[in-house]
Amino acid sequence: EVQLVESGGGLVQPGGSLRLSCAASGFTFSSYEMNWVRQAPGKGLEWVSYISSSGSTIYYADSVKGRFTISRDNAKNSLYLQMNSLRAEDTAVYYCARALRVTGNDYYYYYYMDVWGKGTTVTVSS
Amino acid sequence: AIRITQSPSSLSASTGDRVTITCRASQGISSYLAWYQQKPGKAPKLLIYAASTLQSGVPSRFSGSGSGTDFTLTISCLQSEDFATYYCQQYYSYPPWTFGQGTKVEIK
C-alpha cells in the first residue's frame, strides 16, 4: 500500500524552528518528486515547496522562501521540511504529497499530486 | 502566478441531486487541472486529473470537463459520502502550483 506519514508537528513560539518529516512506503520513493502543502485552520490548500527526485531542483512559495528548507533522504525513504523563523501565519496542517509526472505534447514535465499523507499540525503561538 | 477562481464557495444539495462546481484560470492552462475531495479532518484525495481523467477507484458519478480557462466538476447523483469540500488545482505553470478556494458541499 502506498503510504505517506508525516511527523514532527507541534507548538512552537514565534521565531522558533521545527523540522517536519514524511516517511514514504509502498513505492520507489527515489523515483518520485515530492511536495509539501499546508492548510491553515478553516482555510484552503496552499502549496509550500517542491523537490525533485534527486533533490537537485527545489522550489518554494514566496511566503516561505528564505525561512523553510526542503530536503530528502532517498536511502531512508524520507522527506523533510526545516522551518525556521516561524510566524503565526505558518500555523497550519502540513501535508506531504507525492508528485506524479506527466510529459506534455510540448515535451515539458507537469506534476500533479496523487498521494497525500494525513498531515501534521504546526501551531505557532506564544 | 496563475490564479484559480472556484465557484460557488459553498452549496446545499440533497442526496440524488446533480451538482456542478466550476473553476476558472486567469490564463490558459490547457487540460492541466486536477480535482480533489477533502472531508473534515482528512487529507485531500485526488479525484480527477488532466481535467477529465478519473483517478483509479473513484466512482463514475464524478466527472470533469473543460480546457483552456474554464473547467467543471460534476457529481451526477450526489451520495451521502460526497458531502465534503472540493478543490481544483492547476499544474500547468509552476512554481507555484495553485488551488482554487474550495467549494463546500453541504446537506440541504
Side-chain angles (χ1 to χ4, degrees), chain B residues 8-9 11-13 16 22 33 41 43 53-54 60 62-63 70 77 79 82 100 103-104 106:
Chain B
S9 57
L11 64 89
S12 296
T22 63
L33 187 103
T53 303
L54 217 58
S60 58
F62 291 92
S63 64
D70 294 314
C77 183
Q79 301 298 300
D82 301 335
T103 296
K104 186 174 184 179
E106 299 176 299

Side-chain angles (χ1 to χ4, degrees), chain A residues 35 37 39 43-47 50 59-60 95 102-106 109-114 116-119, chain B residues 32 34 36 38 41-46 49-50 55 87 89-101:
Chain A
N35 291 276
V37 177
Q39 186 170 38
K43 301 298 184 182
L45 300 168
E46 179 190 17
W47 168 78
Y50 157 98
Y59 302 124
Y60 298 101
Y95 298 100
V102 295
T103 304
N105 293 334
D106 51 7
Y109 291 147
Y110 301 90
Y111 303 91
Y112 62 92
M113 300 165 201
D114 70 327
W116 297 62
K118 294 183 178 181
Chain B
Y32 296 105
Y36 301 90
Q38 187 179 35
K42 302 294 185 181
K45 171 189 172 184
L46 176 67
Y49 60 94
Q55 174 72 345
Y87 295 92
Q89 179 213 13
Q90 69 82 23
Y91 54 101
Y92 174 75
S93 174
Y94 59 87
W97 286 260
T98 48
F99 294 87
Q101 301 92 324

Side-chain angles (χ1 to χ4, degrees), chain A residues 17-60:
Chain A
S17 299
L18 213 52
R19 189 194 195 206
L20 306 184
S21 299
C22 172
S25 60
F27 66 100
T28 305
F29 179 72
S30 59
S31 297
Y32 287 85
E33 288 72 23
M34 297 294 296
N35 291 276
W36 287 99
V37 177
R38 68 183 181 184
Q39 186 170 38
K43 301 298 184 182
L45 300 168
E46 179 190 17
W47 168 78
V48 172
S49 186
Y50 157 98
I51 187 168
S52 62
S53 56
S54 66
S56 60
T57 300
I58 286 173
Y59 302 124
Y60 298 101

Side-chain angles (χ1 to χ4, degrees), chain A residues 1-5 22-29 76-78 98 115:
Chain A
E1 180 193 4
V2 174
Q3 197 170 10
L4 298 170
V5 179
C22 172
S25 60
F27 66 100
T28 305
F29 179 72
K76 293 183 177 180
N77 293 333
S78 293
R98 188 176 79 171
V115 178

